[in-house]
Amino acid sequence: MGHLSTTRRAVVTGGAGFLGSHLCERLLGDGYEVLCLDNFLTGRPENVAHLLPHEAFRLLRCDVTDYIHVGGPVDLVLHFASPASPIDYLQLPIQTLKVGSIGTLHALGLARDKGARFVLASTSEVYGDPLVHPQDEEYWGNVNPVGPRGVYDEAKRFAEALTMAYRSTHGLDAAVVRLFNTFGPRLRPGDGRAIPTFVRQALKGQPLTIAGDGSQTRSICYVDDTVEGILAMAHADHPGPVNLGNPHELSVLDLARWIRDLTGSASELAFVPRPQDDPRVRQPDISRARDLLGWEPKVPVEDGLRLTIEWFRAHPELV
Ligand code: NAD
């Protein structure tokens, strides 16, 4: 005789990536059964290797733009598959557009089929080079569709529209979170984002390469806080979009100096040209997340930076 299982089951697309791997870990800790789908385009099986002995965890190599087939019940679909760093999506423009469109269509189809809650990982990049500051969810953004970054920004904007269409047309319990820059262990040292780049350069004693004069700002959130916010949204019934990020804003130049100090490195600072359409400012207004989810970041940025540096030091083979 079979028995009715009360275990909740989650599917995480892009689960072998930076954020996805932390989500899988956290979901397992919360008692979920977790199916991780990933084609290892920008993620690595090593990111979830420590979860493989867990009997509630399964890793399946699969390109979500081909199809998604999952047997059995599913309660939650977290759609995180997508190249996410500028270096990645500039090298993989078609894959980025495909996973944001066709991949999202398939992930929504899975959630509809199973009657599951669906959460789309969208991004602050939907705000483009913003004309309002800080950015709240009512702002529509300033995106150049034919600029180099358009492949990512527009894929996510399309994915948001598709998610809302599934909600209104099919009554799907679907939601959008707009994630701002998140950092922590398992970021790829060579992925071109500011924090892993500065940490790698500082640990190797190489010059820290600052784009432009470094006065452009970023707001950076430690991964544990972002994951907490995503799960709060997964367990809410609100459609969003909801910004998740740390309003602690700092200039790229100050970030470089801070990382250099924390690593004790003697690296010099080097100034390189700014990439086209690089946003000048970035800061989330998180009032909605505070009101709806009672969520706000808790980890001080300095603690997060120390933990990240520690992880990079422990993985010299990657640096
Ligand atoms: P990541 O590159 O580490 O993870 C993305 C994962 O998706 C990788 O494991 C990759 O192999 C997988 N993937 C890509 N295309 C796929 C496909 N067609 N089929 C199956 N798997 C595929 O990036 P991340 O930083 O962990 O970002 C995860 C998600 O969060 C992305 O959707 C990204 O847009 C979003 N996001 C991240 C941040 C951040 O600061 N890290 C900010 C905003 C939004």
Side-chain angles (χ1 to χ4, degrees):
M1 287 284 284
H3 66 279
L4 276 177
S5 163
T6 52
T7 306
R8 289 164 302 169
R9 185 152 178 251
V11 172
V12 183
T13 75
F18 161 59
L19 275 174
S21 64
H22 286 276
L23 274 172
C24 289
E25 197 173 295
R26 171 66 193 270
L27 286 164
L28 284 171
D30 288 354
Y32 272 88
E33 234 179 85
V34 178
L35 175 60
C36 168
L37 304 179
D38 205 297
N39 65 351
F40 311 128
L41 186 63
T42 55
R44 314 184 306 139
E46 287 85 346
N47 283 340
V48 288
H50 62 297
L51 304 178
L52 289 172
H54 209 300
E55 61 177 21
F57 181 71
R58 258 184 75 206
L59 170 63
L60 204 66
R61 180 177 199 143
C62 136
D63 183 334
V64 299
T65 66
D66 288 341
Y67 64 91
I68 302 182
H69 173 76
V70 175
V74 175
D75 305 283
L76 179 62
V77 175
L78 300 177
H79 182 42
F80 277 65
S82 171
S85 85
I87 280 195
D88 288 340
Y89 61 70
L90 293 176
Q91 269 169 13
L92 303 163
I94 311 276
Q95 285 96 324
T96 303
L97 283 157
K98 277 181 76 178
V99 76
S101 53
I102 302 165
T104 303
L105 190 70
H106 291 164
L108 283 162
L110 171 70
R112 185 183 176 211
D113 194 32
K114 306 289 183 182
R117 167 90 166 154
F118 175 93
V119 179
L120 170 72
S122 186
T123 168
S124 57
E125 300 296 329
V126 300
Y127 300 125
D129 191 1
L131 304 176
V132 305
H133 192 67
Q135 297 80 52
D136 67 27
E137 293 87 348
E138 298 299 316
Y139 179 51
W140 292 356
N142 178 37
V143 170
N144 176 3
V146 293
R149 303 170 72 105
V151 298
Y152 182 63
D153 307 357
E154 297 294 7
K156 292 291 184 181
R157 289 166 71 97
F158 177 90
E160 287 198 13
L162 194 60
T163 301
M164 291 305 149
Y166 261 67
R167 213 185 145 87
S168 56
T169 307
H170 297 310
L172 183 70
D173 182 15
V176 171
V177 287
R178 291 186 180 147
L179 310 175
F180 284 64
N181 285 345
T182 297
F183 70 101
R186 297 189 212 124
L187 270 174
R188 267 188 10 259
D191 87 356
R193 289 184 259 199
I195 292 179
T197 304
F198 291 154
V199 174
R200 176 174 53 86
Q201 290 168 334
L203 292 180
K204 292 183 117 173
Q206 295 169 346
L208 272 53
T209 48
I210 294 156
D213 63 2
S215 63
Q216 67 277 24
T217 68
R218 295 294 179 265
S219 301
I220 55 174
C221 191
Y222 188 62
V223 63
D224 288 0
D225 282 329
T226 304
V227 164
E228 183 76 33
I230 294 163
L231 287 189
M233 193 59 173
H235 296 138
D237 57 7
H238 196 276
V242 171
N243 286 341
L244 295 175
N246 192 333
H248 183 128
E249 183 183 15
L250 73 174
S251 73
V252 168
L253 181 59
D254 285 343
L255 178 61
R257 290 196 178 119
W258 204 0
I259 289 175
R260 187 175 59 173
D261 290 349
L262 290 173
T263 52
S265 163
S267 287
E268 300 191 336
L269 304 180
F271 295 86
V272 299
R274 262 183 75 196
Q276 192 190 332
D277 298 340
D278 186 37
R280 274 181 298 271
V281 289
R282 189 60 96 221
Q283 188 190 29
D285 179 328
I286 58 165
S287 315
R288 192 178 279 182
R290 281 199 178 102
D291 293 348
L292 276 181
L293 309 172
W295 175 89
E296 61 183 3
K298 294 199 179 74
V299 181
V301 170
E302 177 153 332
D303 294 359
L305 287 174
R306 283 185 197 282
L307 289 163
T308 308
I309 291 166
E310 226 171 81
W311 186 85
F312 274 58
R313 276 198 211 280
H315 292 83
E317 76 285 1
L318 297 177
V319 177

